């Protein structure tokens, strides 16, 4: 089984709520699971081969403050993440079409540019049609965990 680190990028708590709901599902599938809302570099991934990034978007497609240091470090240092696989759950609001799920998309691009291999498709949750992102994430995680 995999050692999974859930990386949370949140401003209002929705991404944390999703992480809290998904952690026991992944543990129930036999995986070791930790959650972090304070990762700042690739060194924080040590001991974890799979990363699940759950990230909200705020402002004008901005990355949440708590995960911004990680994004900036990945962009600046471009560490070799080829030994990691990852998944992305991006939270956004389609009423802001130009920036919908912008933070999750940016993080997806950053992880890929550092050599990490994405598992499955990125989940994009639209708050304008799905006010409870954990419900959509619970459906998505069933297919994702089978790929891990």
């Amino acid at each position: 089984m995999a050692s999974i680190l859930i990386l949370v990028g949140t401003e209002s708590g929705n991404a944390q709520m999703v992480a809290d709901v998904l952690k026991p599902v992944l543990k129930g599938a036999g995986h070791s699971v930790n959650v972090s809302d304070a990762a700042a570099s690739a060194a924080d991934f040590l001991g974890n081969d799979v990363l699940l990034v759950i990230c909200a978007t705020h402002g004008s497609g901005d990355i949440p403050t708590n995960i911004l240091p990680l994004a900036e470090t990945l962009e600046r240092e471009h560490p070799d993440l080829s030994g990691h696989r990852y998944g992305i759950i991006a939270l956004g609001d389609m009423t802001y079409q130009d920036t919908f799920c912008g933070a999750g998309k940016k993080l997806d691009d950053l992880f890929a540019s550092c050599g990490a291999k994405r598992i499955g498709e990125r989940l994009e949750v639209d708050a304008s049609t799905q006010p409870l992102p954990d419900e959509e994430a619970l459906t998505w995680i069933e297919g994702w965990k089978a790929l891990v």
Side-chain angles (χ1 to χ4, degrees):
M1 293 283 117
S3 176
I4 301 172
L5 176 61
I6 300 175
L7 298 166
V8 178
T10 192
E11 289 291 336
S12 65
N14 286 338
Q16 183 67 53
M17 176 182 64
V18 172
D20 292 343
V21 168
L22 297 185
K23 181 178 179 180
V25 173
L26 293 168
K27 280 188 162 216
H31 301 292
S32 166
V33 183
N34 291 302
V35 177
S36 174
D37 65 356
S41 74
D44 294 324
F45 308 157
L46 292 177
N48 299 282
D49 52 334
V50 177
L51 309 169
L52 177 56
V53 182
I54 304 172
C55 189
T57 299
H58 74 100
S60 299
D62 299 327
I63 294 173
T65 306
N66 73 299
I67 202 167
L68 187 58
L70 174 62
E72 291 173 342
T73 299
L74 293 179
E75 189 169 26
R76 182 179 61 251
E77 296 178 4
H78 205 73
D80 179 8
L81 297 181
S82 61
H84 291 85
R85 297 176 296 146
Y86 72 100
I88 296 276
I89 297 176
L91 309 180
D93 187 330
M94 188 55 97
T95 56
Y96 304 97
Q97 292 180 2
D98 293 343
T99 60
F100 177 66
C101 290
K105 291 174 183 176
K106 288 174 189 172
L107 287 169
D108 192 357
D109 290 345
L110 279 172
F111 277 91
S113 73
C114 291
K117 306 290 184 256
R118 190 174 72 208
I119 302 168
E121 296 299 315
R122 177 178 61 227
L123 174 63
E124 296 180 359
V125 181
D126 178 10
S128 70
T129 61
Q130 179 57 277
L132 299 174
D134 56 327
E135 293 175 5
E136 200 167 333
L138 280 167
T139 301
W140 178 87
I141 201 71
E142 291 303 316
W144 189 81
K145 71 180 182 181
L147 301 173
V148 172

